[in-house]
Amino acid sequence: MSQQTPLRLGIAGLGTVGTGVVKIVRQQAALLAARAGREVVITAVSARDQSRDRGVSLGGYAWETDPVALAQRDDVDLFVELIGGDEGPAKDAVEAALAAGKDVVTANKALLAHHGQALAETAENAGKVIRYEAAVAGGIPVIKSLLEGLAGNEITRVMGVMNGTCNYILTNMEKSGRGYNALFDECAELGYLEADPNLDVGGIDAGHKLSLLASVAFGTQVDFDAVELEGIQRIELQDIKHAADMGFKIKLLGVTQMTGRGLEQRMTPCLVPVTSPLGQLDGGTNMVVIEGNQVEQVVLRGPGAGMGPTASAVMGDVMDIARGIRIPTFGVPADQLSKATPALASTPAPFYLRVGLKDKPGAMAKIATILGEAGISIDRMRQYGHEDETAPVLIVTHKCMRQALNEAIDAINKTEVVATPPVALRIEHL
């Protein structure tokens, strides 16, 4: 194919993102051609409902009801998968596209988190590429930054807020004084939640993204099953207020780093300093912080979802392929990706611990004793007013291992002084 030959797209999935991609290609055709050195055109599309008004003309495009058939068309050079889901039509169509000798651009984080290694091997054995900027942090070019701009760095840590729904809930709990349940319902009404809300509030969606970042950053095989996941469902308004009293905010924070014990990947609620970039992140915005041995720290901030931002990320990948830029899926050839040893929270850190104690003499002393026996020292302890014969106690520990804290929590739960199960949140200093 000569450089002047148009790059012909087949787009599977015409929801919010797919429609956004169509709009960019139709409205900015001259700009895309000038930047790519060739035309970028759409030849065929696929979606379940052909009659729905999507606010953009689909005239002139061939229509396939089966995305696999779209992936196999002779007049499609690049297959754009925007269906979603880690199994079913999306997976079948991507595999069909690779088998038919097509490059692939996808926004499907779940597909790559579960099948990334196999798909990367298939693509690279066929001399094809898979690009997926839109799968992680919406419009933020974080994959491109790791693969290209920061390729001269040994990455030491990647962290970030990568689910706008969770950040919206936590931010507005503090601003409005409303509880988790009320804001969850508001997100449902606004259409911010996935069809399965646990993908958002349970940290699964963000965990998929973190597993992809870990692979690119550390040259390892994608291992979503090794991601330590904890959602935001147990965060109460009092936790938000207590954190603010200490100069922190609570975020669903993804962190991955290579340690002496193995690869750490965790997507859990954490306390971050209110003065830090992550602490100042409000609403549905995403942020990714990359630390490397040459650049020290790079902060990327932007919209994590929505038609424009996500379609922009898709088109960034399309343009790279149009220009002839070809990079292995995860930065190094798939057969050279190492299989990392999982390390669950292997680095020590201070923790926030909230325990509801029964109004009994010696209750606080018993908790302090259990923590001491586990080798955990207390930095700060504060007891709040009684509520229904329950005394909320807030403890901030010195640095300790999460495993030791978990063992202490198990022992605390077995005492007769606990009224509500403890909530433990890591304090992450940036």
Side-chain angles (χ1 to χ4, degrees):
M1 183 181 298
S2 72
Q3 188 68 9
Q4 283 70 42
T5 303
L7 179 67
R8 301 170 298 178
L9 311 184
I11 301 175
L14 293 173
T16 300
V17 180
T19 301
V21 172
V22 173
K23 288 181 177 180
I24 291 174
V25 174
R26 291 186 72 93
Q27 296 169 6
Q28 299 177 186
L31 178 64
L32 297 177
R35 288 179 173 173
R38 62 196 295 196
E39 286 185 279
V40 177
V41 300
I42 299 168
T43 53
V45 296
S46 175
R48 284 178 294 187
D49 184 358
Q50 188 171 354
S51 62
R52 182 162 67 88
D53 181 9
R54 293 172 170 85
V56 62
S57 173
L58 299 173
Y61 306 149
W63 190 285
E64 297 281 359
T65 55
D66 180 4
V68 171
L70 174 68
Q72 295 171 330
R73 288 180 63 99
D74 292 337
D75 59 354
V76 168
D77 306 311
L78 173 58
F79 180 66
V80 182
E81 186 275 303
L82 303 173
I83 303 168
D86 62 302
E87 299 290 348
K91 181 171 180 284
D92 294 342
V94 167
E95 290 174 339
L98 295 173
K102 322 286 188 184
D103 295 318
V104 172
V105 169
T106 179
N108 194 335
K109 66 194 82 71
L111 177 67
L112 293 175
H114 289 281
H115 306 290
Q117 181 65 26
L119 290 172
E121 290 175 3
T122 298
E124 290 166 33
N125 288 337
K128 299 299 157 185
V129 296
I130 301 174
R131 299 297 296 263
Y132 51 96
E133 186 66 70
V136 181
I140 303 175
V142 59
I143 299 295
K144 193 173 183 68
S145 296
L146 285 168
L147 287 175
E148 300 178 38
L150 300 176
N153 283 256
E154 177 183 344
I155 304 301
T156 53
R157 183 169 65 160
V158 180
M159 68 180 76
V161 171
M162 290 174 268
N163 184 277
T165 300
C166 288
N167 203 48
Y168 179 90
I169 290 173
L170 294 172
T171 297
N172 283 284
M173 284 175 73
E174 179 180 21
K175 287 185 174 180
S176 70
R178 290 178 291 164
Y180 168 84
N181 290 334
L183 283 158
F184 178 92
D185 291 342
E186 180 178 305
C187 285
E189 292 172 4
L190 292 171
Y192 289 176
L193 293 169
E194 298 273 2
D196 176 3
N198 194 49
L199 290 173
D200 285 314
V201 298
I204 298 170
D205 167 84
H208 286 149
K209 300 170 186 176
L210 184 70
S211 69
L212 302 181
L213 291 178
S215 179
V216 177
F218 302 110
T220 58
Q221 296 182 16
V222 178
D223 189 3
F224 171 69
D225 291 339
V227 179
E228 179 185 350
L229 288 176
E230 181 183 348
I232 64 170
Q233 299 96 323
R234 296 180 63 200
I235 304 298
E236 296 184 5
L237 200 54
Q238 59 179 312
D239 297 316
I240 301 286
K241 293 177 178 177
H242 297 335
D245 288 345
M246 297 185 294
F248 293 98
K249 288 192 177 183
I250 298 176
K251 302 290 181 185
L252 180 67
L253 186 66
V255 179
T256 181
Q257 56 191 334
M258 187 64 75
T259 73
R261 301 186 183 194
L263 180 63
E264 185 174 323
Q265 301 179 86
R266 47 187 165 82
M267 182 62 65
T268 60
C270 293
L271 275 68
V272 297
V274 69
T275 55
S276 68
L278 286 166
Q280 296 176 39
L281 188 70
D282 286 344
T285 308
N286 282 197
M287 179 178 287
V288 180
V289 179
I290 304 170
E291 295 176 352
N293 66 333
Q294 303 300 327
V295 295
E296 295 186 359
Q297 188 178 87
V298 172
V299 178
L300 303 171
R301 177 184 184 276
M307 177 185 288
T310 312
S312 168
V314 170
M315 286 308 301
D317 285 340
V318 169
M319 292 294 283
D320 273 356
I321 291 172
R323 290 165 170 152
I325 298 171
R326 309 186 71 78
I327 300 173
T329 308
F330 297 106
V332 299
D335 60 5
Q336 295 179 27
L337 295 169
S338 63
K339 192 168 179 61
T341 301
L344 296 179
S346 62
T347 51
F351 283 85
Y352 162 100
L353 183 65
R354 170 172 56 82
V355 187
L357 297 182
K358 295 178 182 177
D359 188 13
K360 290 187 175 183
M364 284 187 64
K366 183 164 287 191
I367 301 303
T369 299
I370 290 173
L371 291 172
E373 290 174 348
I376 299 169
S377 61
I378 296 172
D379 179 28
R380 283 178 273 176
M381 179 183 288
R382 184 180 302 173
Q383 183 169 356
Y384 290 83
H386 288 60
E387 300 174 1
D388 300 325
E389 299 185 350
T390 299
V393 174
L394 170 63
I395 296 169
V396 175
T397 74
H398 287 289
K399 284 186 177 182
C400 66
M401 298 296 289
R402 181 65 195 239
Q403 183 177 353
L405 183 62
N406 287 344
E407 291 170 358
I409 289 173
D410 288 342
I412 290 170
N413 280 327
K414 293 174 183 175
T415 68
E416 74 284 357
V417 300
V418 176
T420 57
V423 171
L425 303 176
R426 185 182 178 100
I427 299 175
E428 198 73 61
H429 289 283
L430 311 181

